[in-house]
Amino acid sequence: FDVNNAGVVVSSNVAYNKIVDRSGNEVTTAVQINGLPATDANQATAGLQRFCAGNFSPANPFGAGKGNVDPLYLVGEESNTANGGKGGYVMALDVKNNVLYAAPDLGRFSVEQALVVDTGDTSKVAYFIGDDSTPGPAWLYVGTKVAGSTDFLARNGLKGGQLYVWVANDTTAHDQPVEVAGTGTTVAGSWKPIAVKDATKAGTTGYDAAGYLDFTTLHTAATALGAMGFARVEDAAINPAKPSMVAFNATGQTSNATYTDLYGTIYTIDTTFTAGLPTTAILKNIYDGDDAGKQQAGVRSPDNMEWSPSGAIILKESAAGQWETSGTTDVSALYGNKPGTDYFIDVQAHGLLDGAISANKLVEGGQLLRLTSATTPTAARLIDPLTGLHLTTADSSEVAKLVGSLGWRNEGASFVIGDAGIASAGNYKQVFRLFNPASSDHLLTTNTDEISAANRSGYVTEGVAGRIQTASILGATTPVNRLFNGKEHLYTSSASETAALVAGGWRNEGVLGYVA
């Protein structure tokens, strides 16, 4: 779906209408996706398996020429049994042309997450890949972008690159979660290159028809290098302030006693790139759910996460019940708010299966929610008993001064207004307050042309009084009317007061904005 600057869904459509398989051919039969043999009863119908965490990356996310060339959406098959038991793929969606591409050079795992990482180089792009296995290594793919190519994968460095796996410098002591236990533990390591394809072994055990290593063979090769095995890598996010650093979490598990990580752990990997290639990479345990005092009382089974531009890492716990909160995206900019204020989160309603959901093959129910901590100061309306003139202000110190020292009377809340410290964005506009010394009238407006005209007629701009939505959307549908009696302006969100004032001779000059 498409969202405008005010956060309103303005249109929607299916994400893709064409799939390109791992051989570069348009998919016309299910076997191109599932890789099952003719003897398998599901060969003709089995499709893509269990898409899990997704990640959208705009074009040039790290500045001019850095990162992916095209806006793309990355998603993976979270399954080690997909493609005839060979493992899942990272899939890349060309969002401009609605084409979904399999990206076999990024390896075959139980893919949980893939996201773009800054290499600091305009010719190379890196993709971090989370592997939801036990043990599941941390993977990094680095590719060279083919400038001007008509091949979407090649243009975005998703073809013919090098896959790496994270390995501690001391592999004898740091290849299991229990050996990196404890919040604050730091381990030095690096990314070791690992082959994803051997054409000479195409079609043999452990390799597909093109020679790509399957899930088991690739994991065996990583273990031979001493790769760190995490307890089910779930989600990942880049550090907005340092996009070569990745945060990721292992949700933990109880089925493998060797890889003990019961409550889950949150890590960062800080990679140094030289000429676009990874060199050193420092692993840090930034939150260990198995620490004494956390466990049941702390974050348990961390799942989806977001690293907000505000600096905060937002986490979800993986639910054991019927409903599960899942993806998180910081959308503060859509509402004109500071980072860390607004999030879209989704809910997987696993228990809602029947009726229209079943009839339309939608699998299960769900919700998309907005979570916000936006400040909503109240604009109070004051009256000077000596002159009968009104003043509307959201400044509590001004209210206290006028009421406490000068004898003004507080008539109560007039309407809720947005934070004055946030600039205009989309349909959220700054409300400017002006004062006319000759008439003592206070004028509120969001119209910059009106400000200029008012200045010419004697009004002085006092500053920004707050911020208000100028369209009746997003739940803010109550109009704040601006009225004028020839001497002063008055503002109200009360329909009955507006009607009474108009009946008494006031002129309704229109809507200042809309509030909830």
Side-chain angles (χ1 to χ4, degrees), residues 150-168:
T150 58
D151 186 320
F152 175 80
L153 294 181
R155 194 166 61 245
N156 290 282
L158 287 161
K159 178 181 287 188
Q162 176 64 61
L163 183 67
Y164 299 84
V165 65
W166 190 84
V167 178

Side-chain angles (χ1 to χ4, degrees), residues 13-371:
N13 210 324
V14 293
Y16 58 90
N17 49 38
K18 177 180 177 180
I19 303 175
V20 175
D21 69 14
R22 53 192 174 273
S23 299
N25 300 314
E26 181 176 355
V27 171
T28 57
T29 63
V31 69
Q32 291 173 256
I33 295 175
N34 59 52
L36 296 173
T39 54
D40 193 300
N42 297 312
Q43 187 202 48
T45 57
L48 296 162
Q49 286 199 21
R50 288 179 57 174
F51 278 171
C52 199
N55 181 69
F56 172 74
S57 181
N60 305 306
F62 313 120
K66 293 184 178 180
N68 44 289
V69 174
D70 300 290
L72 56 80
Y73 185 83
L74 297 165
V75 68
E77 293 180 284
E78 186 199 15
S79 174
N80 58 9
T81 61
N83 305 301
K86 297 178 178 65
Y89 281 103
V90 174
M91 308 290 290
L93 174 64
D94 178 353
V95 298
K96 286 185 175 180
N97 297 301
N98 306 101
V99 181
L100 186 66
Y101 293 85
D105 288 337
L106 274 66
R108 311 187 78 160
F109 322 109
S110 180
V111 183
E112 174 72 24
Q113 171 68 293
L115 75 164
V116 187
V117 179
D118 186 13
T119 65
D121 188 281
T122 57
S123 66
K124 296 187 182 300
V125 60
Y127 297 87
F128 176 88
I129 306 164
D131 187 346
D132 186 16
S133 307
T134 304
W139 305 92
L140 184 75
Y141 169 90
V142 178
T144 300
K145 296 180 286 186
V146 182
S149 174
T150 58
D151 186 320
F152 175 80
L153 294 181
R155 194 166 61 245
N156 290 282
L158 287 161
K159 178 181 287 188
Q162 176 64 61
L163 183 67
Y164 299 84
V165 65
W166 190 84
V167 178
N169 290 346
D170 183 355
T171 57
T172 60
H174 300 105
D175 64 348
Q176 299 179 24
V178 70
E179 296 165 344
V180 193
T183 300
T185 299
T186 300
V187 178
S190 63
W191 295 99
K192 300 294 185 183
I194 190 168
V196 296
K197 183 178 182 180
D198 185 345
T200 66
K201 296 182 179 179
T204 64
T205 301
Y207 301 82
D208 69 8
Y212 285 101
L213 282 68
D214 66 14
F215 174 91
T216 301
T217 310
L218 192 54
H219 278 74
T220 300
T223 301
L225 287 174
M228 174 76 183
F230 300 94
R232 297 178 54 211
V233 176
E234 286 287 334
D235 206 3
I238 60 169
N239 181 349
K242 188 181 183 182
S244 60
M245 176 187 282
V246 174
F248 67 97
N249 55 47
T251 199
Q253 49 76 53
T254 58
S255 60
N256 190 326
T258 302
Y259 285 81
T260 302
D261 184 359
L262 300 180
Y263 290 91
T265 307
I266 305 163
Y267 305 91
T268 58
I269 286 185
D270 188 0
T271 302
T272 299
F273 289 90
T274 302
L277 298 177
T279 52
T280 59
I282 308 300
L283 176 73
K284 184 176 182 179
N285 181 330
I286 64 170
Y287 184 92
D288 195 328
D290 290 322
D291 283 349
K294 294 177 180 175
Q295 300 180 10
Q296 290 288 341
V299 177
R300 296 175 295 172
S301 297
D303 198 325
N304 293 85
M305 67 191 302
E306 167 81 327
W307 199 327
S308 167
S310 69
I313 294 177
I314 310 301
L315 296 162
K316 299 288 186 61
E317 293 181 314
S318 186
Q322 283 291 313
W323 288 37
E324 176 183 356
T325 57
S326 189
T328 307
T329 302
D330 190 324
V331 294
S332 304
L334 294 180
Y335 293 90
N337 289 332
K338 60 187 177 183
T341 300
D342 299 278
Y343 297 90
F344 281 168
I345 62 175
D346 67 59
V347 177
Q348 299 177 56
H350 299 310
L352 295 182
L353 307 173
D354 301 320
I357 295 172
S358 176
N360 290 284
K361 299 181 180 179
L362 298 177
V363 183
E364 64 188 31
Q367 297 171 323
L368 182 65
L369 308 174
R370 176 194 176 196
L371 176 68

